Amino acid sequence: ACAVRWENSRKRPESLLPDERGIMSETDARIVKQPLDLVRLSLDERIYVKLRGDRELRGRLHAFDQHMNMVLGDVEEAHTLVEVNETTAEEIVQVKKRSMEMVYVRGDTVILVSPPLRT
């Protein structure tokens, strides 16, 4: 368990860059100054991603970019389908689930990214 500290600053987070030896200090590595910093801290951890089209993914974050394109491994997808019975006007909700070894997620489909719970 690690603590994450949020620093609200409009400046570019130079402190999050590695030093001249390519090493980032542990305290600098855990500072969150911009939203993508929180996603960076979730690398190689399981995250929850809500997508357009009533799709939800849970998987291990391998890579991401500034557009929120992501590569996830060991993925579980849940796709919620809502059908309306025309005669009774009753909604029928179905959740289809599947597992995938590796998935590329296009960033423009991402609605929400939830990092793992940190205590």
Side-chain angles (χ1 to χ4, degrees), residues 48-57 76-83 91-97 109-111:
Y48 167 80
V49 182
K50 184 168 179 64
L51 303 174
R52 291 183 187 179
D54 295 322
R55 293 181 186 270
E56 299 174 353
L57 302 175
E76 299 166 2
E77 178 187 33
H79 184 199
T80 304
L81 300 169
V82 179
E83 297 177 9
E91 288 187 352
I92 303 166
V93 179
Q94 295 179 352
V95 179
K96 293 187 177 184
K97 294 185 177 186
T109 64
V110 174
I111 296 172

Side-chain angles (χ1 to χ4, degrees), residues 2-119:
C2 61
V4 175
R5 185 172 50 140
W6 176 265
E7 285 192 5
N8 193 2
S9 171
R10 296 194 187 276
K11 295 191 294 186
R12 180 174 160 78
E14 278 81 18
S15 65
L16 294 178
L17 299 175
D19 65 11
E20 60 277 353
R21 298 171 307 190
I23 299 172
M24 186 180 295
S25 77
E26 183 64 27
T27 55
D28 288 344
R30 295 292 172 204
I31 295 174
V32 176
K33 291 187 177 181
Q34 296 185 3
L36 287 180
D37 295 338
L38 189 60
V39 178
R40 177 185 46 82
L41 292 175
S42 301
L43 280 170
D44 204 34
E45 295 190 39
R46 290 192 63 80
I47 63 170
Y48 167 80
V49 182
K50 184 168 179 64
L51 303 174
R52 291 183 187 179
D54 295 322
R55 293 181 186 270
E56 299 174 353
L57 302 175
R58 292 181 194 276
R60 186 163 305 279
L61 180 63
H62 291 287
F64 71 98
D65 65 13
Q66 71 272 16
H67 305 290
M68 289 308 297
N69 296 318
M70 292 181 273
V71 176
L72 300 175
D74 300 322
V75 180
E76 299 166 2
E77 178 187 33
H79 184 199
T80 304
L81 300 169
V82 179
E83 297 177 9
V84 178
N85 186 328
E86 294 178 12
T87 57
T88 63
E90 180 182 346
E91 288 187 352
I92 303 166
V93 179
Q94 295 179 352
V95 179
K96 293 187 177 184
K97 294 185 177 186
R98 67 177 174 164
S99 296
M100 297 168 279
E101 192 173 318
M102 191 74 65
V103 171
Y104 172 85
V105 179
R106 186 177 164 136
D108 66 354
T109 64
V110 174
I111 296 172
L112 176 139
V113 176
S114 178
L117 180 62
R118 301 185 192 282
T119 56

